[in-house]
Amino acid sequence: MTDPDCLFCKIVAGDVPAEVVHTTERTLAFRDINPQAPLHVLVVPRHHEPNAAASAEADAAVFAEIATAARSVATGAGYDDYRLVFNTGAGVGQTVFHTHCHVLAGRPMGWPPG
Ligand code: 5GP
Ligand code: ZN
């Protein structure tokens, strides 16, 4: 499914520019426009679903591909240690309702996140 009003569908389609750093058959990875760490990349499935669990239900393989693409992005940038975040719901800060995995690395990160 492609949502004509979805920003990340437009990036996947090439209709909105983005700095793409990695691609696979089912995923696209591009730099976040407002980086929160020296490495901040978003890995998105090409197929539109609103959140991580919905993507996993729609196609379990895509979820594995997001995780391995995220590792490739991090290790390719020289980071063996990295954080993956899937915000799910506006109450925890999700603003784009197309599944995306934040790949963050390059600075100390506290836990729990605040
Ligand atoms: P969320 O808050 O939904 O988990 O994450 C959405 C992310 O998308 C944010 O980190 C935000 O900076 C990023 N973002 C929003 N608009 C754009 C855009 O047009 N291009 C890119 N590359 N990132 C965007
Ligand atoms: Zn979408």
Side-chain angles (χ1 to χ4, degrees), residues 3 18 32-33 39 48-49 89 94 102 106 108 114:
D3 180 340
D32 196 291
I33 204 167
L39 179 70
H48 180 93
E49 295 291 343
Q94 188 177 5
H102 294 262

Side-chain angles (χ1 to χ4, degrees), residues 39-65:
L39 179 70
H40 188 173
V41 166
L42 304 173
V43 182
V44 308
R46 294 176 186 272
H47 181 92
H48 180 93
E49 295 291 343
N51 59 50
S55 285
E57 281 177 348
D59 177 5
V62 82
F63 215 67
E65 208 162 301

Side-chain angles (χ1 to χ4, degrees), residues 4-113:
D5 297 324
C6 171
L7 173 62
F8 290 173
C9 281
K10 290 177 186 169
I11 288 177
V12 168
D15 294 339
V16 168
E19 194 180 336
V20 175
V21 298
H22 187 267
T23 61
T24 68
E25 186 183 342
R26 295 182 183 81
T27 72
L28 186 77
F30 53 90
R31 292 195 194 284
D32 196 291
I33 204 167
N34 183 24
Q36 301 301 312
L39 179 70
H40 188 173
V41 166
L42 304 173
V43 182
V44 308
R46 294 176 186 272
H47 181 92
H48 180 93
E49 295 291 343
N51 59 50
S55 285
E57 281 177 348
D59 177 5
V62 82
F63 215 67
E65 208 162 301
I66 289 169
T68 53
R71 179 183 59 192
S72 294
V73 167
T75 60
Y79 299 109
D80 288 333
D81 296 352
Y82 54 93
R83 181 172 291 176
L84 305 184
V85 174
F86 292 91
N87 291 322
T88 301
V92 297
Q94 188 177 5
T95 58
V96 179
F97 291 84
H98 177 130
T99 306
H100 52 281
C101 177
H102 294 262
V103 184
L104 297 149
R107 65 164 172 81
M109 286 179 214
W111 190 262

